[in-house]
Amino acid sequence: MLEFWLLLCAYLLGSFSSAVLVCRAMGLPDPRLSGSGNPGATNVLRTGGREAAILTLAGDLGKGALAVLLAVLSGASLQLQGWCLLAAVCGHLFPFFSSLRGGKGVATTLGAMLVLYWPLALIQLACWGTLFALSRISSLASIATALLTPVFCFLLLTELLLPVGLTCLLLLLRHSSNIRKLLSGREHRF
């Protein structure tokens, strides 16, 4: 029964849209209706500025971290903690509170991973940062990091491979429009 409540709590935490809450609080346009239409830190940066984007990023990182932290504090197995990562990201991608219209899940994944297994989170951050610095394209860095993460997970902690691999697959699916834009040369650069 504890497993069900932890997973439900992780999903509901993930369902809170940091971007929507921050933009409302700051009197900015709804990120789902402006820019790329994605309620995430990158779109908020474009449409609302740096301060709003930083708050959105902190909120998305925090809700992922809190979802896994609750599992850790309850004494859940590492495997269940991994499923809480997936549940929180599913909440972000398909939020209960926003008609299932969510973001891409990159920051929520990183926040959850920081608590779940911080060495892998640091590798993810290094991959993303390096790729972004080279390309100046956020989505390319996110897509490549999602492709590489299961490989690093396999090498470092195979026990988490299934929930982490499924999370990365969802991230890739949510970036399908970005993949098309990258292939056609129309993706935004910073």
Side-chain angles (χ1 to χ4, degrees):
M1 195 64 166
L2 176 65
E3 291 87 356
F4 170 78
W5 290 112
L6 286 172
L7 292 170
L8 179 62
C9 188
Y11 169 77
L12 291 175
L13 279 168
S15 288
F16 283 98
S17 176
S18 303
V20 172
L21 294 172
V22 166
C23 288
R24 277 189 191 152
M26 297 181 76
L28 298 169
D30 187 325
R32 298 167 297 182
L33 304 174
S34 55
S36 69
N38 178 52
T42 302
N43 190 38
V44 171
L45 177 63
R46 287 189 190 112
T47 62
R50 181 173 287 167
E51 183 182 354
I54 289 170
L55 291 171
T56 299
L57 180 63
D60 287 348
L61 288 166
K63 70 183 181 181
L66 183 57
V68 175
L69 184 61
L70 290 174
V72 170
L73 294 175
S74 72
S77 68
L78 184 62
Q79 191 73 31
L80 181 55
Q81 293 171 34
W83 291 112
C84 286
L85 154 78
L86 179 60
V89 172
C90 284
H92 183 83
L93 301 177
F94 311 106
F96 177 77
F97 305 114
S98 298
S99 305
L100 305 179
R101 289 184 51 215
K104 304 284 173 100
V106 175
T108 303
T109 300
L110 180 62
M113 192 60 71
L114 282 167
V115 175
L116 182 61
Y117 189 63
W118 66 265
L120 183 52
L122 293 181
I123 292 170
Q124 289 175 306
L125 195 55
C127 286
W128 190 94
T130 301
L131 293 165
F132 180 75
L134 293 172
S135 69
R136 307 305 294 172
I137 303 174
S138 177
S139 63
L140 177 62
S142 298
I143 291 162
T145 301
L147 287 169
L148 291 170
T149 294
V151 175
F152 290 118
C153 188
F154 176 76
L155 295 172
L156 297 171
L157 195 62
T158 55
E159 189 176 351
L160 292 175
L161 187 57
L162 186 56
V164 168
L166 289 172
T167 300
C168 291
L169 178 61
L170 285 173
L171 296 183
L172 291 169
L173 291 172
R174 287 298 278 185
H175 280 85
S176 59
S177 64
N178 301 94
I179 293 169
R180 285 191 295 275
K181 287 178 184 177
L182 284 165
L183 292 174
S184 66
R186 296 180 296 116
E187 188 61 302
H188 298 286
R189 289 181 185 269
F190 278 93

